[in-house]
């Protein structure tokens, strides 16, 4: 069983090398991240509320690609893979969804940062606090509905208080950071729930378009692989349920998760994810 205590020594070692960035991101940082070492989930840069020039790319693909049609779905796009044919790809992410995700993920950045060496966490806390201040000034220009904007401010302001504590270089006690996660958990989950709702129409449209390009009989054989990493596992479970409903009763085996690194397997949740989201049961996870 993985515990916070068991991973701390590993995290400290990772923090002394370039591998720290990989631990904190879980995957390659998306194009919205600009800090010195990108933490997952990143805060948006200055212009993310105005335009979306690049789509984040957390897609991981199963290896090897199974025989027959496979649709790999993450929180931004669908990739349809068929033997002997070029991949069919459809992005369905929206800018509002990215804003919900990035802001909702900031407390996780604070949580993970507390496991890192003092110099590293002080430096990154300064970066985060500067960007939080920038984003707070842009909430009213965002695509997030007015009714949800107070929650964005609450998330960012509470995170800023934690980053201010981290910036001093003190070791934040484990019970304090765990209490922070419990307090922020409902707000973070609300943001990811809002992201899922925001993406529903575009996911419906992308799925319908994919079905339109399938050949006769392919839909009844299609396998769905939900690509995700730990930070968005909570939201990805909705994708899992969505496609199980579409495929119908008795077809559950045609939907599975793919773990980071590319192998379709049991998807295990990290302690950080559990701290904010609680236990997320997906696929065959025990």
């Amino acid at each position: 069983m993985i515990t916070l205590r068991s991973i701390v020594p590993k995290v400290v070692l990772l923090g002394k090398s370039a591998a720290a960035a990989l631990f904190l991101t879980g995957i390659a940082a998306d194009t919205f991240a600009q800090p010195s070492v990108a933490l997952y989930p990143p805060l948006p840069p200055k212009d993310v509320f105005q335009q979306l020039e690049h789509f984040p790319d957390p897609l991981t693909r199963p290896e090897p690609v199974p025989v027959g049609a496979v649709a790999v779905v993450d929180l931004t796009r669908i990739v349809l893979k068929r033997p002997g044919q070029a991949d069919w790809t459809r992005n369905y992410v929206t800018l509002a969804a990215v804003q919900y995700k990035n802001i909702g993920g900031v407390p996780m950045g604070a949580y993970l940062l507390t496991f890192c060496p003092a110099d590293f966490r002080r430096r990154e806390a300064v970066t985060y606090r500067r960007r939080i201040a920038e984003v707070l000034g842009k909430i009213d220009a965002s695509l997030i509905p007015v009714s949800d904007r107070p929650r964005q401010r609450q998330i960012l302001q509470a995170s800023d208080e934690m980053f201010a504590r981290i910036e001093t270089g003190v070791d934040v006690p484990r019970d304090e950071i765990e209490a922070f996660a419990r307090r922020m958990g409902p707000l973070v989950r609300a943001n990811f729930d809002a992201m899922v709702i925001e993406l529903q129409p575009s996911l419906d449209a992308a799925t319908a378009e994919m079905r339109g390009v399938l050949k006769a009989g392919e839909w009844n054989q299609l396998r769905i692989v939900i690509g995700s990493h730990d930070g968005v596992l909570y939201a990805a479970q909705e994708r899992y349920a969505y496609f199980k409903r579409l495929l119908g009763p008795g077809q559950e085996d045609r939907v599975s998760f793919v773990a980071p690194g590319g192998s379709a397997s049991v998807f295990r949740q990290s302690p950080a994810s559990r701290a904010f989201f609680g236990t997320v049961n997906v696929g065959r996870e025990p």
Side-chain angles (χ1 to χ4, degrees):
M1 179 177 179
I2 300 173
T3 65
L4 285 171
R5 183 174 298 176
S6 70
I7 68 170
V8 170
K10 297 178 182 178
V11 176
V12 172
L13 291 173
L14 286 171
K16 297 179 180 179
S17 70
L22 295 178
F23 172 80
L24 292 170
T25 57
I27 55 169
D30 65 35
T31 54
F32 298 108
Q34 297 295 332
S36 54
V37 177
L39 296 174
Y40 176 79
L43 272 171
K46 295 179 180 180
D47 65 348
V48 75
F49 290 143
Q50 282 73 46
Q51 58 185 348
L52 180 59
E53 295 179 351
H54 303 285
F55 291 98
D57 186 16
L59 186 67
T60 52
R61 298 179 179 179
E63 296 178 359
V65 176
V67 176
V70 178
V72 185
V73 185
D74 65 8
L75 291 174
T76 68
R77 65 180 181 175
I78 299 175
V79 178
L80 176 63
K81 303 179 70 63
R82 293 176 290 177
Q85 299 187 49
D87 290 354
W88 176 92
T89 302
R90 188 63 68 242
N91 291 304
Y92 67 89
V93 70
T94 69
L95 180 51
V98 172
Q99 292 169 1
Y100 275 122
K101 168 181 169 288
N102 286 353
I103 294 174
V106 173
M108 289 188 72
Y111 184 98
L112 292 170
L113 192 59
T114 61
F115 288 99
C116 296
D119 289 344
F120 178 86
R121 65 177 183 253
R122 282 196 298 267
R123 183 173 65 250
E124 291 304 308
V126 170
T127 299
Y128 259 95
R129 296 197 70 198
R130 182 175 65 249
R131 299 182 71 191
I132 286 173
E134 293 172 352
V135 175
L136 279 170
K138 294 180 177 292
I139 295 298
D140 287 334
S142 74
L143 296 180
I144 293 174
V146 173
S147 60
D148 278 351
R149 291 176 190 173
R151 184 173 71 248
Q152 312 313 306
R153 293 187 178 91
Q154 189 176 355
I155 290 171
L156 292 171
Q157 289 165 352
S159 297
D160 185 64
E161 292 174 3
M162 179 56 70
F163 282 118
R165 184 152 167 69
I166 295 170
E167 187 182 357
T168 66
V170 302
D171 292 328
V172 182
R174 286 299 95 203
D175 58 352
E176 186 174 330
I177 191 63
E178 293 296 328
F180 169 76
R182 288 193 299 272
R183 187 171 71 254
M184 300 302 294
L187 303 177
V188 171
R189 291 192 295 272
N191 257 40
F192 279 81
D193 287 339
M195 179 189 70
V196 166
I197 293 170
E198 160 68 21
L199 288 175
Q200 194 63 59
S202 57
L203 175 62
D204 288 339
T207 302
E209 188 175 350
M210 176 185 68
R211 293 187 68 168
V213 304
L214 291 171
K215 296 178 181 178
E218 280 189 317
W219 173 255
N220 294 329
Q221 301 297 322
L222 181 69
R223 279 181 279 186
I224 308 291
V225 176
I226 309 300
S228 176
H229 56 93
D230 201 52
V232 292
L233 183 59
Y234 173 78
Q237 68 177 339
E238 188 279 335
R239 294 289 171 270
Y240 183 80
Y242 173 85
F243 282 100
K244 281 177 65 176
R245 289 193 301 270
L246 279 183
L247 294 180
Q251 301 298 312
E252 293 83 359
D253 289 345
R254 290 166 55 197
V255 187
S256 61
F257 273 80
V258 61
S263 60
S265 63
V266 174
F267 205 112
R268 291 184 172 85
Q269 213 178 348
S270 76
S273 176
R274 291 185 192 278
F276 286 91
F277 299 109
T279 301
V280 176
N281 294 313
V282 293
R284 297 170 301 228
E285 185 179 46

